[in-house]
């Protein structure tokens, strides 16, 4: 049994309780506690927040002509121009593609573990690592909107303020990151017969 | 004594014995290819120097303006914390807290933890508090998003440049340097080495189990 904090491998004491790490006293468990249930809970909450995050505006721009609210996707479309397309692409990938890919990939991993699939454990573990690595980048749009709103305060000419969709979008980012942390990738290997696992 | 060279892969739980690594060499899991260990020359000195540098850059980055704006004869500028405060005062408290955590608190914690651990690990037998701090290090690292924030600031900067004059502040360049120093700081750090040397208060609780690979679990 391996300690989640210091990685020392030790033999668990007899009995139901796995006890604590002999070196650093961290509670030990065969697998992260309720990994599948907790990952599903975070993932479903993220999927629910994903809807208002994309439908509600994230920024409101006020000019003497009136005010205008933009959703994430409208922001991507607005930025799309001969010179602005790289920015538009960054926001599209970070805000729309990464969160939806994360939700789909984690749901697939959870189903594969629950159904006990044995195929391609290596590539499923790699998929988990990619999700873990790219997840943080979906925060980009939260920072863009924060600093745009903080800086563009030119009343009465123009002012940009945050709108409700931003909070839902931030919740999606946090919930998907928590879902990734709750998932224990060792579960992927549990369905593989022992003789093949050590091959 | 548990054999500290015995290691269970954190991603697939394969139990294996780590070979002695040549300087600069690394070991990967034969089953799922996760990096298990890397021999880092002068790890202690390097992570101390880099965390000191990171601490200095971090203080400067948060003290001076990051972005300025000039339009219609008026100037405005903001710091990282100023951005979070603006959201807070416009009723986006959750997002403000998230920005503050990922752009200021978590990076600050990451640097402070690393600095303390690097100082404590200079002793041949580091005290128990070093291990206690080390435990929180992965979380601080997960939520520290300086590099993501920098990309966000650059996108905002180019976006705003359409309707006003944007002036990049000193903090922007300091933050760019900080991204590299933080990456080098994490790369130079050898958590396994520190874990292996920490002395716990209860010395009698030293690992005593002798186990063979057949106990893999
Ligand atoms: Zn492995």
């Amino acid at each position: 049994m391996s300690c989640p904090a210091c990685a020392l491998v030790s033999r668990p004491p007899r009995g139901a309780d796995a006890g604590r790490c002999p070196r650093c006293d961290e509670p030990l468990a065969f697998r992260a506690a309720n990994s599948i249930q907790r990952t599903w809970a975070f993932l479903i909450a993220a999927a629910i927040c994903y809807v208002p995050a994309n439908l509600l505006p994230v920024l409101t721009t006020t000019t003497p002509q009136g005010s205008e609210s933009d959703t994430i996707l409208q922001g991507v479309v607005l930025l799309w121009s001969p010179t602005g397309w790289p920015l538009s692409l960054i926001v599209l990938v970070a805000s729309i593609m990464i969160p939806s890919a994360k939700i789909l990939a984690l749901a697939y991993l959870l189903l594969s573990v629950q159904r006990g699939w044995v195929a391609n454990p290596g590539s499923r573990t790699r998929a988990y690592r990619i999700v873990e690595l790219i997840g943080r980048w979906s925060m980009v749009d939260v920072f863009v909107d924060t600093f745009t709103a903080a800086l563009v305060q030119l009343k009465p000419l123009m002012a940009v303020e945050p709108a409700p969709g931003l909070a839902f979008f931030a919740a999606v980012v946090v919930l998907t990151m928590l879902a990734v942390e709750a998932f224990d990738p060792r579960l992927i290997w549990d369905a593989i017969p022992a003789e093949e696992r050590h091959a | 004594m548990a054999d500290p060279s015995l290691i269970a892969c954190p991603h697939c739980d394969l139990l294996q014995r780590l070979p002695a690594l040549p300087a600069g060499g690394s070991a990967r899991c034969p089953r799922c290819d996760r990096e298990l260990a890397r021999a880092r020359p002068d790890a202690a000195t390097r992570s101390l120097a880099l965390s000191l540098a990171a601490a200095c850059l971090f203080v400067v980055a948060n003290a001076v303006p990051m972005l300025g704006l000039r339009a219609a004869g008026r100037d405005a500028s903001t710091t990282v914390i100023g951005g979070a405060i603006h959201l807070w005062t416009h009723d986006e408290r959750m997002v403000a807290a998230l920005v503050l955590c990922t752009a200021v608190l978590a990076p600050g914690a990451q640097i402070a933890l690393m600095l303390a651990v690097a100082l404590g690990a200079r002793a041949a037998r580091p005290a128990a508090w070093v291990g206690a701090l080390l435990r929180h290090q992965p979380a601080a690292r997960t939520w520290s998003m300086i590099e993501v924030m920098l990309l966000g600031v650059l996108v905002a900067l180019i976006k705003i440049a359409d309707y006003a004059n944007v002036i990049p502040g000193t903090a922007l360049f300091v933050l760019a340097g900080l991204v590299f120093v933080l990456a080098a700081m994490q790369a130079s750090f050898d958590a396994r080495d520190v874990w292996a040397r920490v002395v716990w208060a209860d010395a009698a609780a030293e690992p005593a189990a002798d186990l063979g690979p057949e106990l893999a679990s």
Side-chain angles (χ1 to χ4, degrees):
Chain A
M1 181 169 292
S2 171
C3 171
C6 77
L8 182 79
V9 173
S10 60
R11 185 212 299 263
R14 307 247 172 258
D17 190 19
R20 289 171 167 269
C21 174
R23 179 158 78 181
C24 74
D25 206 38
E26 177 90 358
L28 293 179
F30 272 118
R31 293 290 176 263
N34 306 320
S35 170
I36 293 177
Q37 292 89 323
R38 287 177 48 234
T39 312
W40 271 124
F42 286 129
L43 203 59
I44 290 166
I48 292 170
C49 290
Y50 188 75
V51 177
N54 282 286
L55 293 181
L56 293 177
V58 288
L59 283 182
T60 304
T61 309
T62 311
T63 59
Q65 283 79 45
S67 43
E68 195 182 305
S69 296
D70 292 316
T71 62
I72 296 176
L73 200 59
Q74 284 169 329
V76 171
V77 175
L78 275 179
L79 272 172
W80 195 270
S81 70
T83 49
W85 67 267
L87 294 186
S88 177
L89 207 61
I90 290 175
V91 177
L92 181 71
V93 170
S95 315
I96 307 222
M97 288 163 73
I98 291 182
S100 46
K102 260 169 93 171
I103 292 174
L104 292 177
L106 275 176
Y108 164 74
L109 287 177
L110 282 166
L111 284 176
S112 82
V113 164
Q114 282 181 314
R115 301 269 168 92
W117 294 352
V118 290
N120 305 320
S123 47
R124 279 185 282 147
T125 308
R126 256 195 305 283
Y128 174 76
R129 280 202 278 266
I130 293 170
V131 167
E132 197 181 26
L133 201 71
I134 62 172
R136 56 207 282 110
W137 290 96
S138 43
M139 271 290 283
V140 162
D141 205 50
V142 174
F143 290 121
V144 173
D145 296 343
T146 298
F147 294 113
T148 306
L151 209 56
V152 184
Q153 296 300 325
L154 304 163
K155 288 178 187 125
L157 282 178
M158 183 185 212
V160 176
E161 300 301 351
L166 188 58
F168 285 102
F169 181 71
V172 171
V173 179
V174 172
L175 288 167
T176 52
M177 283 186 70
L178 290 173
V180 169
E181 263 179 64
F183 185 76
D184 189 337
R186 294 175 296 182
L187 292 168
I188 293 172
W189 297 85
D190 285 348
I192 320 287
E195 56 272 28
E196 283 174 52
R197 295 169 65 173
H198 289 279
Chain B
M1 292 286 284
D3 179 353
S5 74
L6 203 60
I7 185 169
C9 173
H11 273 183
C12 75
D13 221 14
L14 181 70
L15 199 66
Q16 53 210 302
R17 210 167 283 281
L18 270 187
L21 296 174
S26 65
R28 287 181 170 276
C29 174
R31 186 160 77 180
C32 76
D33 202 40
R34 187 188 198 270
E35 184 174 286
L36 296 171
R38 179 182 286 277
R40 297 171 168 87
D42 310 320
T45 322
R46 261 190 224 187
S47 41
L48 181 59
L50 288 166
S51 51
L52 266 174
C56 297
L57 291 178
F58 180 77
V59 171
V60 176
N62 283 293
V64 301
M66 182 176 63
L67 276 181
L69 189 69
R70 181 168 297 146
R74 277 185 294 169
D75 284 342
S77 74
T78 186
T79 58
V80 181
I81 298 171
I85 292 173
H86 181 86
L87 281 183
W88 185 272
T89 54
H90 285 78
D91 274 346
E92 289 288 346
R93 302 208 166 158
M94 196 199 89
V95 186
L98 181 64
V99 167
L100 196 67
C101 280
T102 54
V104 184
L105 300 182
Q110 185 195 6
I111 295 166
L113 279 179
M114 185 65 84
L115 194 58
V117 169
L119 280 172
R122 286 169 68 82
R125 305 292 288 156
W129 62 263
V130 175
L133 287 179
L134 207 48
R135 219 181 285 241
H136 301 291
Q137 212 260 333
R141 189 181 178 181
T142 304
W143 295 98
S144 155
M145 302 192 193
I146 295 272
E147 76 281 23
V148 181
M149 183 192 71
L150 200 63
L151 181 63
V153 173
L154 291 177
V155 173
L157 197 148
I158 303 171
K159 209 171 129 181
I160 300 168
D162 275 352
Y163 32 79
N165 253 332
V166 193
I167 310 137
T170 316
L172 201 56
F173 301 101
V174 178
L175 280 167
L178 184 57
V179 170
F180 289 102
V181 174
L182 280 180
M185 178 183 93
Q186 284 305 156
S188 70
F189 179 62
D190 190 348
R192 269 178 61 79
D193 168 63
V194 180
W195 273 123
R197 290 187 293 123
V198 169
V199 177
W200 299 92
D202 186 4
E206 278 280 300
D210 176 27
L211 87 179
E214 71 278 3
L215 288 169
S217 56

